[in-house]
Amino acid sequence: MILGLDIGSRSIELVGLIGGEVVLSRKLPTTFSPLDQCSRLLDGLRPASLVGTGYGRNLIQRLALDCECSTITEIKAHALGAAHLFPEAGTVLDIGGQDTKAMSLVDGRVLKFEMNDRCAAGTGKFLEYTAGVFQIPVEEFGPYALKGENPPEISSICTVFAETEATSLMARGESPEAIALGLHKAIVKRTANMLRRVGLKFPMVFTGGVANNPCVLRLLAQAVNGEIGRDILIPDNPDHMGALGAALHRHNGNAARVA
Amino acid sequence: MSDTGHHAMWEKLNMDLEAHDGLLEVLGKFYGDIFLSQENRLTGAEYLDFVLSEVHGLRIRELQDAKAEGRKVIGSFCVFVPEEITLAADAIHVGLCAGAEAGSDLAEQLVPRNTCALIKSFIGFKMAKLCPYIESSDMIVGETTCDGKKKAYEAFNEIAPTYVMEVPQTKSTAARDLWKAEVVRYMKAVEEMTGCTITAEKLKEGILIANGKRRALQRLTALRAASPAPISGRDALLVNQISFYDDPVRFTAKINELCDELEERIAAGGGVAPADTPRLLLSGCPMAVPNWKLPYVVESSGAVIVGEESCIGTRNSRDLVDESGETLEAMIDAIADRYMKIDCACFTPNDERLDNIEDLAKRLNADGVIHYSLLFCQPYTHEALKVDKALQAAGIPMLSIETDYSMEDVEQLKTRVEAFVETLA
Ligand code: SF4
Ligand code: SF4
């Protein structure tokens, strides 16, 4: 079995392939001890090879596995995963826990990519943090925001400033749902710009945990003028795309660089 | 880094000994990790290691000895300051580095927070009393190449003797006249300070010395076109960095020796990385000592750097001063013309830079270009967009990086650079 392990800032996903077929997928939150979480995910498995990806990809060196180990970046991994499920994909958008990435693809290969700068502006973290202001779990934040109308303009995409802005809008009596919608709009605006910079081509595959957020999805479709299901495609498990891509990298027999 | 036997000298230069010891310690460790850990290094790299280990020691001792004999030291921050003239007055020309974060917080008292790391660094080094070159300089020459620097020299003049050259912003005839007048004015200022009259004979000598240095650097650049890459980008960058402050005649001889060794290595098919390693050209803002962050990240991501389109790179060595002039007037013209060819992002328009990058990438057989700009650097971040467009049209992939001297974004840089390298493989 070939394993792909995506060590992200918020969650760690594991996908196992045999003969190119997904035979296993697991997920755990990253927590403060990602190494322990990795060991937990790998418990009882004896893979022939493992490919690490994600922001913590180099941690695999410390797992002391007795199989062939290598790493690829999450940019390549998401592209491989997306292109595998949707070979016609022209663009991949991945909004993860702490990074947002946009990639343009040609024949499944990354041609150009963009990634957010240092801070967590416009990433899953932004939504998680601002959801906290409303005291609702991040999973419910999207449906909640969809109930909003006439969203106020949130001018800051800085996670911390946006919180301040949201709080003062509340104090001004704006409806919380509308504010939540405004926050979603702020990150979608930024994401759409990033997509334009890499040269957005449909169909676009949306991966990463934030692809599960229905509000982001709807706003994004509006912003880029695309139809969900035709121009914008969401895999069944958008957050497993990195791990899948990592495993596929090995399966496809690409010369893996040993980490 | 320099041993502490030089303490008395540093104390005399009114430096902050404790802070300086701290800086040397960090630098030493950094140097070890980034340079000494490399495999397949050239024997000639011993010179680089030695010069760098004595950057604040023996070289400063040399400057002090020269000063004791009545010679003057001129410090500069930009490749526009004509070294030929400094040399003709028997003065010593050193490029001041400004490549570390130390003292940057102090600098925010004199320049705005949103200023590029390079400016903050030179102001910070002076304020924190960390740089023996600044303290040894009898005159520091600034230039009006960007708004940040232009205003920063006003503030800097209050803490160090600063002379400013007006660099034009276009390449028109009027601009060329202005620049020539500035070259003449600089010559007068240098004569006045050194008490030395610059004759045609002396200027010729200055031109030959500076050209000699450039020829050695050009030779190095050309050799890097070989595959496998015969020298690491880190070592080559170090050569370029050292060219700014070591004695030019010694430097030229040592680099030519290094090139001899490179030629042998190339003839034997040797290199620092396997022949199929992706080759990258670095392009953009200058990388002053000890700003080695990006080159290190790139070369630990499975790529090798084969050239630097930068002021600490080909922008400093590409063009020679015409050596045929015999009169002072003709030589000054030749100097003015040579410097007007510099394709600094401060010029508008600056299209020759686009051609130069494309040409260099092709000549060095680069698979891609990494464009580097310092955060808050208007000229180069603007040009990053233009360079991207031009290279795209030429079918050369490019990655744009914007960063500063801090280490907080190293992981993100690694992801970006690795992903870029993956797209090339
Ligand atoms: S980039 Fe321009 S201002 Fe900076 S050193 Fe080079 S020539 Fe001078
Ligand atoms: S040109 Fe850019 S990097 Fe150089 S001093 Fe000006 S702002 Fe800083």
Side-chain angles (χ1 to χ4, degrees):
Chain A
M1 183 164 52
I2 301 171
L3 293 182
L5 183 65
D6 181 358
I7 310 177
S9 66
R10 195 165 185 278
S11 58
I12 305 175
E13 289 89 11
L14 180 73
V15 164
L17 295 181
I18 294 180
E21 293 299 317
V22 176
V23 292
L24 160 152
S25 70
R26 297 176 178 174
K27 175 178 174 169
L28 278 178
T30 304
T31 73
F32 283 112
S33 45
L35 267 183
D36 293 345
Q37 297 294 77
C38 288
S39 308
R40 220 160 275 155
L41 283 170
L42 294 166
D43 194 34
L45 300 174
R46 300 201 123 267
S49 55
L50 177 139
V51 181
T53 188
Y55 139 95
R57 62 190 174 280
N58 288 318
L59 283 179
I60 62 163
Q61 293 164 7
R62 309 214 334 242
L63 283 168
L65 297 166
D66 54 3
C67 66
E68 184 205 11
C69 288
S70 58
T71 60
I72 59 173
T73 66
E74 51 269 43
I75 293 168
K76 180 163 195 167
H78 279 267
L80 283 172
H84 176 71
L85 296 183
F86 307 102
E88 69 284 16
T91 314
V92 180
L93 170 68
D94 164 40
I95 309 188
Q98 92 179 0
D99 288 317
T100 298
K101 298 161 208 99
M103 305 143 234
S104 60
L105 300 191
V106 170
D107 302 327
R109 284 180 58 108
V110 177
L111 187 70
K112 207 169 166 47
F113 64 90
E114 288 263 345
M115 192 176 147
N116 61 304
D117 282 310
R118 348 189 134 203
C119 68
T123 67
K125 191 88 210 157
F126 177 91
L127 289 172
E128 194 177 343
Y129 195 79
T130 46
V133 180
F134 294 78
Q135 294 175 333
I136 41 182
V138 66
E139 293 75 18
E140 289 162 31
F141 198 37
Y144 179 80
L146 279 176
K147 286 185 272 175
E149 269 169 45
N150 300 325
E153 179 92 18
I154 306 280
S155 46
S156 180
I157 37 91
C158 163
T159 309
V160 178
F161 283 137
E163 184 200 347
T164 318
E165 232 182 306
T167 328
S168 61
L169 285 166
M170 280 178 195
R172 264 205 268 142
E174 291 273 1
S175 98
E177 289 88 348
I179 301 172
L181 184 59
L183 287 163
H184 280 73
K185 278 192 101 159
I187 100 164
V188 166
K189 189 170 157 194
R190 190 176 160 90
T191 307
N193 275 336
M194 203 185 262
L195 284 167
R196 279 181 210 115
R197 281 202 303 270
V198 297
L200 172 63
K201 264 201 235 76
F202 291 136
M204 168 186 114
V205 182
F206 189 2
T207 68
V210 176
N212 291 315
N213 181 313
C215 185
V216 170
L217 190 57
R218 185 185 296 178
L219 292 171
L220 189 68
Q222 281 165 11
V224 299
N225 244 326
E227 191 183 311
I228 300 168
R230 190 192 63 187
D231 305 321
I232 303 176
L233 310 169
I234 319 281
D236 289 338
N237 284 312
D239 42 354
H240 282 80
M241 224 31 50
L244 172 67
L248 283 168
H249 172 70
R250 188 72 198 83
H251 172 74
N252 297 347
N254 295 339
R257 207 158 38 76
V258 175
Chain B
M1 294 297 120
S2 311
D3 65 58
T4 40
H6 301 295
H7 264 147
M9 174 175 73
W10 294 328
E11 195 155 22
K12 249 191 143 160
L13 286 171
N14 193 25
M15 291 169 59
D16 180 336
L17 293 185
E18 207 178 307
H20 183 247
D21 282 350
L23 178 72
L24 288 190
E25 197 182 316
V26 176
L27 263 181
K29 185 170 176 309
F30 217 43
Y31 191 79
D33 291 349
I34 295 180
F35 290 91
L36 301 179
S37 63
Q38 300 177 95
E39 281 166 27
N40 281 336
R41 270 182 107 207
L42 300 145
T43 329
E46 279 170 17
Y47 160 69
L48 308 180
D49 294 341
F50 180 70
V51 174
L52 217 88
S53 71
E54 285 297 339
V55 58
H56 281 196
L58 288 182
R59 181 63 180 141
I60 296 297
R61 171 85 56 210
E62 283 181 353
L63 298 191
Q64 297 313 316
D65 292 348
K67 279 163 79 94
E69 289 168 17
R71 294 173 68 193
K72 300 286 182 196
V73 176
I74 294 177
S76 71
F77 290 109
C78 171
V79 297
F80 261 103
V81 184
E83 182 174 6
E84 294 79 358
I85 291 176
T86 315
L87 294 172
D90 202 27
I92 298 173
H93 198 91
V94 288
L96 303 172
C97 49
E101 232 185 352
S104 292
D105 42 348
L106 287 175
E108 289 178 14
Q109 297 169 28
L110 289 186
V111 291
R113 200 168 51 86
N114 288 1
T115 300
C116 82
L118 194 113
I119 293 176
K120 277 197 205 175
S121 175
F122 76 70
I123 297 204
F125 266 55
K126 171 68 197 173
M127 291 176 81
K129 301 183 181 168
L130 285 170
C131 175
Y133 289 89
I134 293 183
E135 302 307 328
S136 302
S137 296
D138 298 287
M139 170 163 110
I140 292 172
V141 188
E143 20 47 57
T144 57
T145 38
C146 71
D147 288 353
K149 277 199 184 173
K150 210 153 73 184
K151 300 311 285 182
Y153 292 127
E154 289 175 23
F156 197 64
N157 189 38
E158 286 165 24
I159 50 178
T162 312
Y163 172 94
V164 177
M165 292 185 82
E166 184 175 351
V167 173
Q169 304 179 11
T170 72
K171 298 208 168 164
S172 65
T173 338
R176 199 273 182 190
D177 291 346
L178 163 67
W179 175 242
K180 186 186 165 189
E182 284 294 289
V183 172
V184 172
R185 189 170 69 89
Y186 175 64
M187 193 171 89
K188 299 260 156 63
V190 173
E191 281 182 330
E192 195 173 308
M193 185 185 70
T194 56
C196 173
T197 310
I198 295 180
T199 59
E201 197 189 340
K202 280 185 170 159
L203 191 53
K204 180 110 193 185
E205 206 184 304
I207 291 174
L208 292 177
I209 294 175
N211 273 353
K213 185 156 87 164
R214 292 179 190 125
R215 283 197 180 94
L217 289 167
Q218 288 175 352
R219 190 176 161 206
L220 174 66
T221 302
L223 291 172
R224 292 167 78 190
S227 176
I231 182 170
S232 73
R234 277 167 280 177
D235 278 336
L237 175 65
L238 202 56
V239 170
N240 278 293
Q241 290 175 330
I242 287 175
S243 76
F244 284 90
Y245 65 81
D246 198 19
D247 175 77
V249 176
R250 172 172 58 208
F251 172 86
T252 305
K254 285 292 178 190
I255 298 314
N256 277 319
E257 275 172 33
L258 186 93
C259 288
D260 293 342
E261 194 186 344
L262 280 174
E263 272 167 6
E264 282 167 33
R265 174 179 273 193
I266 294 168
V272 282
D276 59 356
T277 308
R279 303 163 62 90
L280 297 179
L281 172 68
L282 274 189
S283 167
C285 280
M287 286 184 172
V289 178
N291 179 12
W292 302 312
K293 177 171 78 170
L294 188 59
Y296 179 60
V297 165
V298 171
E299 295 201 330
S300 25
S301 299
V304 61
I305 297 167
V306 295
E308 297 79 24
E309 187 276 336
S310 148
C311 293
I312 302 181
T314 52
R315 202 167 298 127
N316 181 42
S317 57
R318 187 185 53 231
D319 305 306
L320 301 178
V321 175
D322 178 15
E323 291 168 355
S324 62
E326 293 301 335
T327 62
L328 204 53
E329 179 72 15
M331 286 182 222
I332 290 169
D333 270 317
I335 291 174
D337 287 337
R338 184 263 168 197
Y339 284 84
M340 283 304 283
K341 286 191 198 132
I342 296 175
D343 52 353
C344 171
C346 67
F347 284 100
T348 178
N350 187 36
D351 296 335
E352 62 267 44
R353 178 166 172 238
L354 305 178
D355 299 335
N356 285 332
I357 297 175
E358 190 185 326
D359 175 62
L360 189 63
K362 288 183 177 156
R363 266 199 296 138
L364 297 176
N365 303 310
D367 300 303
V369 173
I370 295 193
H371 193 280
Y372 163 79
S373 25
L374 282 168
L375 222 53
F376 307 123
C377 170
Q378 299 278 358
Y380 282 95
T381 30
H382 268 278
E383 288 206 349
L385 303 171
K386 293 190 163 194
V387 175
D388 192 23
K389 224 185 250 164
L391 289 180
Q392 221 164 44
I396 303 170
M398 182 190 113
L399 172 73
S400 176
I401 295 280
E402 230 179 292
T403 184
D404 57 16
Y405 299 163
S406 74
M407 288 299 149
E408 63 191 32
D409 62 343
V410 166
E411 290 305 319
Q412 280 201 334
L413 285 183
K414 272 190 193 149
T415 300
R416 257 170 234 235
V417 172
E418 274 178 40
F420 181 60
V421 174
E422 282 169 349
T423 67
L424 303 173

